[in-house]
Amino acid sequence: MEKIEEKKEVRTIAAVLEHAGFEAYLVGGCVRDLLLGHTPKDWDIATNATPDQVQQLFPDSVYENAFGTVGVKTDSEDQTLKIVEVTTYRIEGKYSDMRHPDEVRFASTIAEDLSRRDLTVNAMAMDLRAGAAHEIIDPFQGRQDLRARVIRAVGDPEARFQEDALRILRAVRFGAQLGFTLDHATEAAMKKHAGLLEAISKERIRDEFMKMIMTDHAHEAIRLMEKDGILKYVLPELEEGVDVGQNKHHIYSVFEHNVRALQYAVEQHFDLDVRIASLLHDVGKPRSKRGEGPDCTFYGHQVVGERMALQILDRLRFPKDMTERIALLIREHMFVYDPDTVTDAGARRLVRRVGKENLEALFQVREGDRIGSGVPKAQPYRLRHLKFRIEKVSKDPVSAKMLKVNGADVITGADMAPGPKVGFILAILLEEVLDDPSLNTKEILMDKVRQLAQLDEVKLREMAKFAKRSADDAQTRIEEEMKKKYFVQ
Ligand code: ATP
Ligand code: MG
């Protein structure tokens, strides 16, 4: 595994440093990736030159952060090489709050720099000096752990996790990223100090969580965190489903079912939103469970789950649009797709609620739900049928924007003043058109506008509300019927 070729840009930077009398090593993730035969995502150089000295040697560089990192710009076409990070050797000062190093102190040797790193597989360096023949500096036997496929903390694991508890999640994440197992003492220390994660910033936790979810072993990472008492500091709500049994249509607990839905999303290489929505799709079940045994029910769990997901993702400081998209996928994941039940109007209303751009993701979540139940009903044709149905109605109007009349038409056509009445009239028209798209002509709608314009604002508001609610109720009634018929939860 040791045929290593560093890139020309990296070699050039190292040569400049060496020529000026400094050391230059490749460090961290890129050495690990090279030794594994993977392509590094970024290239990091460590040196004994100070940040000022590095900047003087490379005029086209920027001081990137408070940790002594200088980004050296190259003219490479390769995204991963456009900026090479050159960081002065450092050791971290004592840690007082287990969140941030108190101070950044520069070190004088590569050995010191390696000793502050988190995991043995991340604590190797490759000597870039011209005569060094790519020698690997490996004081913590990282290569041995790469071969044995083991994640192990550098030095005393308890001390390392106490210094920075995020390393607990990093150990889980790298295990999932590389498909490695945890060294016994490292895992024991993770278990013991998991509670320190409470003091770690939510943003740092979110970043590790997202990386973890995007790995090929994300589902195993979730199981591992549950087993080791780590999950409750990341996603306590997910843990509520452990040992919560389901009804006769499921063979797994709520927790196991959620994890299996994630597994499906991972295996299908679905995107981050779909993976998280799959993992959380039934998170509302423990709180909505009624009764015990084969006939227990979970009515409304998708709405409870939506609310919980909003809270969870907000707490973890996920971007607002992502939070809302995931919550929407959870709320709508129970959509009816029985071809005998879904009408064209029902399909249009689904499109309106979910948005065209989210339909594919919603189908993906539902697939995972089905497969993750362990007893998938042989009815993928039904999903296909609904997709076809949606395709068919997708050109129909599903939002007020798609009506053949707009606010200005209403105002001039009915000779009325701008104001809330206009919006209510458009809302009433949309409900009618959702049921019957053939009504969407300017002539028919303007007729209706003139009639509606006679009514006062209070009346119109009621009608608008009522039209939407009765349509949604009709949909809910159909869904309730279906559930009774099939006991689908
Ligand atoms: P990847 O980029 O594939 O996620 P990486 O190894 O480059 O992997 P980074 O998070 O970019 O991971 O960190 C770069 C290096 O910095 C790591 O390899 C590790 O040596 C060190 N490092 C990062 N975070 C910590 C930490 N919290 N404690 C100790 N060392 C760390
Ligand atoms: Mg990196």
Side-chain angles (χ1 to χ4, degrees):
M1 67 181 184
E2 241 133 286
K3 190 185 167 301
I4 294 170
E5 261 332 306
E6 82 280 15
K7 300 284 180 177
K8 153 176 129 280
E9 289 80 359
V10 172
R11 162 137 313 273
T12 307
I13 294 169
V16 171
L17 285 164
E18 188 181 358
H19 186 73
F22 299 111
E23 298 172 2
Y25 291 89
L26 267 187
V27 283
C30 57
V31 179
R32 175 198 69 221
D33 291 341
L34 286 171
L35 288 169
L36 285 169
H38 302 167
T39 312
K41 282 207 310 290
D42 37 37
W43 298 79
D44 297 316
I45 293 178
T47 180
N48 57 348
T50 65
D52 287 342
Q53 290 167 327
V54 175
Q55 277 194 290
Q56 275 168 25
L57 288 171
F58 304 96
D60 203 8
S61 63
V62 282
Y63 207 147
E64 282 190 342
N65 56 30
F67 307 111
T69 300
V70 175
V72 175
K73 291 183 188 151
T74 72
D75 50 15
S76 173
E77 291 294 298
D78 181 343
Q79 259 315 318
T80 68
L81 280 162
K82 280 199 156 54
I83 290 191
V84 174
E85 297 198 328
V86 180
T87 306
T88 308
Y89 298 153
R90 51 179 229 251
I91 40 175
E92 269 144 39
K94 60 180 172 26
Y95 295 76
S96 64
D97 61 358
M98 283 164 289
R99 275 184 240 192
H100 305 288
D102 281 333
E103 60 196 71
V104 174
R105 286 191 290 144
F106 296 133
S108 49
T109 66
I110 184 69
E112 280 177 290
D113 183 85
L114 293 177
S115 70
R116 68 153 173 103
R117 294 175 183 269
D118 53 357
L119 307 169
T120 60
V121 293
N122 289 345
M124 294 179 275
M126 194 177 98
D127 197 338
L128 291 173
R129 283 174 299 184
H134 299 136
E135 188 198 345
I136 301 291
I137 318 297
D138 181 16
F140 307 102
Q141 284 75 54
R143 260 182 303 193
Q144 195 175 307
D145 286 338
L146 278 186
R147 263 180 237 118
R149 304 175 66 78
V150 168
I151 295 293
R152 185 193 315 272
V154 166
D156 172 16
E158 292 203 23
R160 305 326 304 282
F161 296 132
Q162 285 173 285
E163 281 165 5
D164 179 6
L166 188 73
R167 291 171 184 160
I168 295 170
L169 293 188
R170 287 177 57 84
V172 175
R173 191 256 289 187
F174 281 107
Q177 186 170 313
L178 302 170
F180 286 13
T181 54
L182 294 172
D183 155 66
H184 186 72
T186 298
E187 187 172 6
M190 288 161 65
K191 257 183 182 164
K192 183 165 170 189
H193 296 293
L196 297 175
L197 279 165
E198 218 138 27
I200 298 295
S201 86
K202 301 297 185 214
E203 288 81 357
R204 293 182 81 206
I205 291 180
R206 173 203 59 207
D207 288 349
E208 281 306 322
F209 176 70
M210 292 204 302
K211 286 182 180 172
M212 192 186 290
I213 290 293
M214 287 314 291
T215 68
D216 289 347
H217 300 271
H219 46 291
E220 290 157 39
I222 300 288
R223 284 202 183 94
L224 175 80
M225 289 198 294
E226 192 276 312
K227 172 173 83 73
D228 285 352
I230 299 167
L231 190 62
K232 56 171 155 297
Y233 301 105
V234 181
L235 277 180
E237 295 86 351
L238 196 59
E239 244 189 18
E240 291 174 22
V242 174
D243 294 333
V244 173
Q246 305 203 60
N247 53 33
K248 56 190 164 217
H249 299 280
H250 287 266
I251 56 173
Y252 300 121
S253 72
V254 171
F255 175 78
E256 182 62 22
H257 171 59
N258 276 325
V259 174
R260 281 173 184 262
L262 167 64
Q263 179 170 356
Y264 179 79
V266 166
E267 286 164 358
Q268 299 296 314
H269 305 288
F270 291 155
D271 70 18
L272 181 60
D273 293 10
V274 171
R275 290 183 189 209
I276 296 178
S278 300
L279 178 65
L280 298 180
H281 81 282
D282 274 353
V283 78
K285 272 189 170 177
R287 297 186 194 177
S288 351
K289 183 171 176 176
R290 299 290 174 265
E292 268 305 328
D295 291 322
C296 68
T297 63
F298 300 94
Y299 293 132
H301 76 270
Q302 68 274 36
V303 181
V304 176
E306 173 196 24
R307 255 184 276 131
M308 290 172 74
L310 287 170
Q311 276 168 8
I312 293 167
L313 300 174
D314 191 51
R315 182 180 71 226
L316 290 174
R317 315 278 193 273
F318 272 82
K320 195 160 182 291
D321 53 346
M322 196 175 162
T323 299
E324 284 173 357
R325 181 169 193 242
I326 293 170
L328 173 77
L329 294 174
I330 293 171
R331 184 185 75 212
E332 298 295 339
H333 84 268
M334 296 293 291
F335 65 87
V336 173
Y337 60 85
D338 183 311
D340 303 332
T341 315
V342 182
T343 59
D344 282 350
R348 283 189 286 271
R349 290 203 149 82
L350 179 66
V351 178
R352 176 180 62 169
R353 286 199 309 276
V354 178
K356 256 186 218 166
E357 67 284 7
N358 295 318
L359 284 169
E360 189 56 37
L362 185 67
F363 283 119
Q364 291 174 341
V365 172
R366 185 59 170 265
E367 265 300 276
D369 182 6
R370 228 168 47 76
I371 304 294
S373 74
V375 281
K377 287 192 213 70
Q379 46 174 253
Y381 72 94
R382 292 190 171 191
L383 262 184
R384 274 204 302 279
H385 183 92
L386 180 60
K387 280 187 193 173
F388 167 74
R389 205 60 164 273
I390 284 176
E391 203 100 306
K392 205 178 77 179
V393 303
S394 69
K395 278 168 206 71
D396 294 343
V398 292
S399 74
K401 277 202 300 286
M402 298 166 82
L403 292 174
K404 287 284 191 253
V405 300
N406 60 25
D409 298 329
V410 173
I411 291 166
T412 48
D415 196 18
M416 56 192 288
K421 277 179 76 170
V422 179
F424 296 142
I425 289 176
L426 289 173
I428 295 165
L429 296 182
L430 174 62
E431 291 307 325
E432 293 196 20
V433 168
L434 278 166
D435 278 332
D436 182 359
S438 73
L439 300 178
N440 194 25
T441 71
K442 189 145 188 176
E443 213 189 337
I444 297 179
L445 293 184
M446 282 315 292
D447 259 358
K448 288 178 184 288
V449 167
R450 279 184 287 271
Q451 286 167 28
L452 289 167
Q454 308 297 315
L455 305 171
D456 65 24
E457 185 180 323
V458 177
K459 178 77 186 155
L460 284 172
R461 179 195 296 124
E462 250 172 51
M463 282 176 70
K465 232 163 89 185
F466 181 76
K468 177 160 190 320
R469 191 176 324 124
S470 58
D472 285 347
D473 280 358
Q475 182 66 14
T476 313
R477 267 199 310 280
I478 293 170
E479 289 177 20
E480 293 302 320
E481 284 302 308
M482 294 300 299
K483 281 180 203 152
K484 282 195 201 112
K485 202 160 142 201
Y486 294 110
F487 275 96
V488 183
Q489 255 77 45

